[in-house]
Amino acid sequence: MEDLFCATFIFQKGEFTDEFHRFDKVIADYAKQTKGYLGEESYENNENSQVINLYYWKGLDGLKDLMEHEIHLKAKKQEAKWLRGYQVTISKIVAAYNDRQIPHPLKSTLLKPDFLPIFQKRTE
């Protein structure tokens, strides 16, 4: 099975302009068409205006393609106009399991955590 990856984008909201929303839509639409794209989820803390977006891919090809997209590169050069700071983390997923009761991009994915035997009993 091809490796799974999660790109986490955490940012502090600034002032979102029309240009930001146009760029955001183009980038989001393009991401969904990239190779191996599995889905995304987003969380917002209204108390501190911090947003966490998690994007999931099978393999790295689609993620690399998105990072090199023309609009993404333009937006990245202007991020200080819209954001008050950000953190990006790219992680390889070594385990994914669930009870299939909540919607999630990895809902149909089961990577048994062989290195955690106590959890393996719960997923079988």
Side-chain angles (χ1 to χ4, degrees):
M1 177 181 193
E2 195 168 2
D3 289 332
L4 300 178
F5 292 88
C6 177
T8 304
F9 181 41
I10 304 169
F11 61 93
Q12 196 76 33
K13 289 170 71 173
E15 180 146 347
F16 292 167
T17 63
D18 289 342
E19 182 182 36
F20 170 85
H21 290 294
R22 281 194 306 274
F23 280 15
D24 188 55
K25 180 170 178 11
V26 169
I27 293 166
D29 290 346
Y30 186 77
K32 292 172 185 161
Q33 299 171 28
T34 59
K35 180 180 178 184
Y37 177 83
L38 297 172
E40 64 189 71
E41 54 188 329
S42 183
Y43 304 94
E44 184 170 350
N45 182 333
N46 293 322
E47 291 180 19
N48 65 11
S49 298
Q50 192 172 75
V51 177
I52 301 173
N53 292 327
L54 298 105
Y55 304 91
Y56 299 93
W57 274 272
K58 186 180 289 188
L60 284 172
D61 292 342
L63 176 57
K64 288 177 184 177
D65 190 25
L66 177 64
M67 296 295 108
E68 296 169 356
H69 187 274
E70 177 185 4
I71 298 298
H72 180 265
L73 294 173
K74 282 183 182 181
K76 195 170 166 78
K77 289 179 183 176
Q78 301 179 62
E79 57 83 13
K81 291 186 340 188
W82 308 307
L83 308 179
R84 293 192 177 109
Y86 71 92
Q87 170 70 43
V88 174
T89 305
I90 311 297
S91 307
K92 181 178 175 182
I93 299 170
V94 297
Y97 50 93
N98 56 67
D99 65 2
R100 292 179 167 72
Q101 298 300 310
I102 62 170
H104 190 273
L106 300 180
K107 184 176 180 178
S108 62
T109 302
L110 178 62
L111 293 175
K112 291 185 179 181
D114 295 331
F115 59 92
L116 298 172
I118 190 168
F119 290 112
Q120 188 175 18
K121 291 177 184 173
R122 292 183 186 170
T123 61
E124 293 178 343

